[in-house]
Amino acid sequence: MKYSIFLFLWLPFVLFAQEDNLIEQDSTEVEYVFVAGDSIPQKSIYLDEVMILDKLSFKSKADKRRYLILGRKTLKVYPYAKLAADRLNALNTRLNTLDKKRDKKKYAKKVQKYIEEEFSDELKKLTKTEGQILVKLIHRQTGKTTFDLIKELRSGWRAFWFNNTAYLFNISLKREYDPENVEEDYLIEDILIRAWQNGRLKLVKSPLNFEYFKLSNKWATTTNN
């Protein structure tokens, strides 16, 4: 719990007791604590896992500037990537309840139209680099590339057409999120983790197979060599 430490320092303990705030149990005094929002007394309190991150350091001002710009763009587009994942999960859950292919197609088209109408204006304001970061983050959130998602929801031809159109703006809808082998993707993951730790965003665990701390060790070794 994010306020667990303050609980011990500032909040008064409410002890479940008969006389002097103590409970007799096998002739041993046991203290119980009530946690705010919970009516059941606890013998102990579990703290949330805390991630200890290395302090940011840069080899040059150019590297620092690059990181800060990437951070601004990443935090700008991440909500859209998270929304795409949320909508996809809701869509798949609903499709699993439908038996007829016609009904599934009709519902998928309805959801797609809703998403386009709700966010198309905002997405049009993204720069080329922001659009490419968004494509990679959608892969991070869903485990599928934007190309594959379009292919599943529409058709292979539509996915091909969208991809070729995106290429005109230097954006590949087939681009994957690969923090293990692409330094920029690792920096994006680092930005997300630090923003999550600071309470700036709610980060959803990626279905992709990678571990942040292993990546940190790898890239720290790579950049120092």
Side-chain angles (χ1 to χ4, degrees):
M1 303 172 190
K2 60 183 180 181
Y3 54 84
S4 297
I5 296 177
F6 295 96
L7 183 68
F8 288 105
L9 296 177
W10 302 106
L11 296 182
F13 289 156
V14 181
L15 303 181
F16 186 77
Q18 293 180 349
E19 295 182 352
D20 54 349
N21 297 333
L22 296 175
I23 288 183
E24 294 289 337
Q25 186 180 56
D26 296 333
S27 301
T28 303
E29 294 180 345
V30 180
E31 294 186 352
Y32 283 77
V33 179
F34 277 105
V35 179
D38 190 352
S39 61
I40 302 176
Q42 306 289 337
K43 292 182 181 180
S44 59
I45 297 178
Y46 294 93
L47 301 176
D48 284 341
E49 180 181 357
V50 177
M51 297 181 67
I52 306 300
L53 306 181
D54 292 335
K55 183 178 180 180
L56 283 174
S57 61
F58 304 94
K59 290 184 177 180
S60 65
K61 291 184 178 179
D63 286 344
K64 181 178 181 179
R65 182 172 182 273
R66 174 196 174 199
Y67 183 90
L68 294 177
I69 292 176
L70 184 63
R72 175 175 55 80
K73 293 182 177 182
T74 297
L75 297 181
K76 177 181 178 180
V77 303
Y78 179 76
Y80 298 114
K82 184 176 182 299
L83 173 69
D86 293 342
R87 290 289 189 268
L88 178 65
N89 290 333
L91 174 61
N92 288 335
T93 299
R94 175 57 176 160
L95 290 179
N96 288 334
T97 66
L98 302 176
D99 297 326
K100 296 182 179 180
K101 185 177 181 181
R102 180 182 61 183
D103 293 337
K104 291 184 178 182
K105 186 176 181 179
K106 183 178 180 180
Y107 183 76
K109 187 175 181 179
K110 181 179 180 181
V111 172
Q112 182 185 10
K113 182 179 180 181
Y114 168 76
I115 295 175
E116 289 177 352
E117 291 178 351
E118 186 178 12
F119 297 101
S120 59
D121 290 340
E122 292 299 321
L123 295 179
K124 289 177 182 178
K125 298 177 184 178
L126 299 181
T127 65
K128 296 177 183 179
T129 54
E130 290 170 348
Q132 191 65 82
I133 292 172
L134 174 60
V135 167
K136 292 193 289 187
L137 286 179
I138 288 177
H139 182 234
R140 180 199 185 278
Q141 295 300 113
T142 65
K144 298 181 180 181
T145 66
T146 305
F147 180 88
D148 288 336
L149 291 175
I150 295 174
K151 186 176 180 179
E152 289 180 6
L153 297 179
R154 300 295 291 274
S155 68
W157 169 249
R158 293 286 292 181
F160 174 79
W161 187 86
F162 274 113
N163 194 52
N164 283 349
T165 303
Y167 263 125
L168 298 178
F169 301 96
N170 297 322
I171 297 175
S172 172
L173 300 183
K174 295 181 179 180
R175 183 68 60 85
E176 297 181 351
Y177 187 69
D178 187 12
E180 185 171 355
N181 298 302
V182 180
E183 183 182 15
E184 181 178 89
D185 293 358
Y186 161 69
L187 294 177
I188 290 175
E189 188 66 22
D190 183 75
I191 290 165
L192 293 176
I193 291 293
R194 293 180 187 276
W196 165 74
Q197 188 186 58
N198 294 332
R200 297 181 63 184
L201 59 78
K202 293 183 178 180
L203 187 62
V204 178
K205 180 177 175 57
S206 173
L208 301 178
N209 185 28
F210 64 82
E211 294 183 20
Y212 171 75
F213 284 110
K214 288 184 178 180
L215 295 176
S216 298
N217 293 333
K218 174 185 176 179
W219 284 106
T221 302
T222 302
T223 55
N224 289 333
N225 289 337

